[in-house]
Amino acid sequence: MKHAIAPDPAPRDLIVQRPEGLYCPAGDFHIDPWKPVARAVITHAHGDHARRGHGAYLAQAQSAGVLRARLGADISLQTLAYGERIDVNGVRLSLHPAGHVLGSAQVRLEHGGQVWVASGDYKLQDDGTCAPFEPVRCDVFITESTFGLPIYRWQSQAALMAEINAWWQANAAAGRCSIVYAYAFGKAQRILHGADASIGPLICHGAVEPLNAAYRAEGVALPPTQLVTDPSIDKAALPRALVIAPPSAAGSLWLRRFGDHADAFASGWMQVRGTRRRRGVDRGFVMSDHADWAGLQQAIAATGAERVIVTHGSVPVMVRWLREQGLQAEGFATEYGGEDDDGLPDAPTAQDLAGTGDPSAPGSSVSEESP
């Protein structure tokens, strides 16, 4: 009598949801947890992914300076170079470039015949300020979807900086200081890296300058910058200056130092006119450190993953689109997207999206908008 061979039990997921955040049961560690845990692997140093209170941290080597500046110099921090592999309780772990900000990394896990990649936040554009995104082949890919709608498509870094420099040049010629509100970690350094310093002085808010120092320490080329409080500053040159400040500086007393000025906001949300109106600035520059709609599709395809888990952003739209492509797709509920550079509080409202052809609007279809 022949006995039926029982099928192998389904492999356990390498990453699951826990109240504290994403958890690897086999390795007994969390990835970007939002509540205190014993061991945390950190994809990058934005505040919604790297939080205080964990027992031990593991992150990419170039993020060490920013992490210690934000979380405390005394944190227990282990760092890895890109591509370096370690064993954590039998799980082979390595970090790979995400192209998001300095030191950002995708977390590759290999165990029990499975390969999973948790991407954190990422973008495919090489902006010159951090290691460019590298696709990692895997069975399961955990992706963000901050700008997971077809209306979001970014121009090249060169074209974007040409716009910013032209705006700055025109303001300088008119004797008006140019102020750009940009998140202090990531976008501020991208703007500085591409700024034409021959137009005028570059002045940074006090929240931006320490992060500039962290980038310079890792060999990223940034032009000289000053604080407006520096004794050596040439006040007569302020009308020609480009000032980079965090969004929180808008409407503050600090701005009075610059007199008559033009202002702009740099964010991916500037793609939508209603968001620009709510910001109340003279100009909006469409600039994001996250992948656009086409970039998300390209990155996911490059992994070869048959299963995709979507975290924060336009989760229902992205899950639906992935299923239309024949992939197994689902969402994870997370707490990402708060302090991050394109934080969700600025996301467009349903009224903003009306008339854009966006798939989240009533009667729209993702497949109709897909490239």
Side-chain angles (χ1 to χ4, degrees), residues 1-128:
M1 180 178 178
K2 294 183 178 180
H3 296 278
I5 299 175
D8 292 333
R12 293 177 61 192
D13 282 354
L14 277 183
I15 299 174
V16 299
Q17 295 182 88
R18 289 282 180 86
E20 300 79 13
L22 305 185
Y23 177 65
C24 175
D28 190 24
F29 57 83
H30 289 77
I31 299 174
D32 291 348
W34 43 85
K35 292 183 180 179
V37 300
R39 292 188 292 178
V41 179
I42 303 299
T43 62
H44 65 284
H46 274 136
D48 58 330
H49 290 257
R51 306 198 184 194
R52 293 181 175 88
H54 306 315
Y57 295 79
L58 174 70
Q60 205 281 328
Q62 290 185 318
S63 68
V66 180
L67 282 171
R68 291 192 185 280
R70 291 188 152 197
L71 305 180
D74 60 345
I75 61 171
S76 175
L77 175 63
Q78 177 184 357
T79 62
L80 296 178
Y82 286 124
E84 181 181 354
R85 296 184 177 185
I86 61 170
D87 184 280
V88 183
N89 295 329
V91 176
R92 179 173 289 185
L93 182 153
S94 55
L95 303 177
H96 304 267
H100 180 56
V101 291
L102 183 68
S104 59
Q106 304 172 80
V107 182
R108 181 187 186 274
L109 305 180
E110 183 176 352
H111 178 76
Q114 300 183 77
V115 175
W116 285 50
V117 170
S119 64
D121 291 333
Y122 63 90
K123 72 173 182 297
L124 273 62
Q125 284 184 328
D126 181 0
D127 62 33

Side-chain angles (χ1 to χ4, degrees), residues 312-363:
H312 54 303
S314 304
V315 177
V317 173
M318 180 57 69
V319 167
R320 194 173 93 201
W321 185 86
L322 290 167
R323 289 174 177 172
E324 289 179 358
Q325 312 313 305
L327 298 176
Q328 181 183 350
E330 63 200 90
F332 268 176
T334 68
E335 295 188 9
Y336 306 139
E339 184 263 1
D340 191 357
D341 64 336
D342 275 313
L344 294 178
D346 283 329
T349 65
Q351 184 177 1
D352 293 335
L353 293 173
T356 64
D358 190 270
S360 61

Side-chain angles (χ1 to χ4, degrees), residues 27 39 86 108 111 144 168 190 200 205 223 251 263 280 289 319 348:
R39 292 188 292 178
I86 61 170
R108 181 187 186 274
H111 178 76
E144 61 143 313
W168 176 21
R190 283 180 65 182
H205 188 276
D263 59 4
D289 285 331
V319 167

Side-chain angles (χ1 to χ4, degrees), residues 228 230-239 257:
V228 72
D230 288 348
S232 61
I233 200 161
D234 181 3
K235 293 185 179 179
L238 288 183
R257 300 171 184 267

Side-chain angles (χ1 to χ4, degrees), residues 171 176-179 181 255-256 258-263 282:
N171 292 332
R176 300 183 74 199
C177 176
S178 301
I179 298 177
Y181 301 115
L255 291 178
R256 293 184 180 180
F258 303 103
D260 183 36
H261 63 268
D263 59 4
D282 300 318

Side-chain angles (χ1 to χ4, degrees), residues 190-248:
R190 283 180 65 182
I191 293 172
L192 287 172
H193 183 72
D196 180 358
S198 69
I199 298 173
L202 290 158
I203 298 174
C204 289
H205 188 276
V208 175
E209 196 62 19
L211 293 158
N212 295 341
Y215 272 71
R216 291 184 179 111
E218 293 298 332
V220 178
L222 299 179
T225 53
Q226 293 177 286
L227 295 171
V228 72
T229 54
D230 288 348
S232 61
I233 200 161
D234 181 3
K235 293 185 179 179
L238 288 183
R240 301 196 312 275
L242 177 66
V243 180
I244 301 176
S248 59

